[in-house]
Amino acid sequence: MKAVNLAVRFACELAMLVAFVWWGWPVAGIVGAVAAAVVWGLFIGPKARRRLPDPARFLLELTLFAAATAAFIDVGQSVLAVAFAIAAVVTASLVRVWPEPVA
């Protein structure tokens, strides 16, 4: 189950970037996706040098996932937004039960 959760989590991370690009294509979307990827890489990712401790990291994850959900809704993808939000919250919560491998 841990491996499945990590796979779904990675899919959610990619879907978050897709949401930002789709929402603001071309310029705002690319800038938004890059900004989200930088924040994730600096503060959330398992190999981040400045990885935030919980609960701050969890709140930042949920904030990024909520913004991506709003982006999906804004482009008219409400069903996708709901499915994404559920998957993102569940996997973010389960990562606290089954921690990611940390470098």
Side-chain angles (χ1 to χ4, degrees):
M1 283 304 286
K2 180 178 178 179
V4 170
N5 185 57
L6 291 176
V8 172
R9 179 175 177 78
F10 183 65
C12 286
E13 293 168 25
L14 294 177
M16 173 184 66
L17 299 177
V18 167
F20 292 138
V21 170
W22 193 354
W23 168 80
W25 182 257
V27 177
I30 293 169
V31 170
V34 168
V38 167
V39 168
W40 195 278
L42 286 175
F43 304 113
I44 298 171
K47 295 183 180 182
R49 290 186 182 182
R50 298 179 183 149
R51 191 172 203 217
L52 295 175
D54 278 326
R57 188 175 79 244
F58 185 63
L59 292 174
L60 183 56
E61 286 176 44
L62 293 182
T63 300
L64 288 173
F65 286 147
T69 300
F72 278 133
I73 290 170
D74 197 51
V75 296
Q77 298 298 317
S78 299
V79 173
L80 179 59
V82 170
F84 168 77
I86 291 168
V89 169
V90 168
T91 192
S93 300
L94 287 177
V95 136
R96 272 72 195 169
V97 177
W98 301 310
E100 301 165 297
V102 179

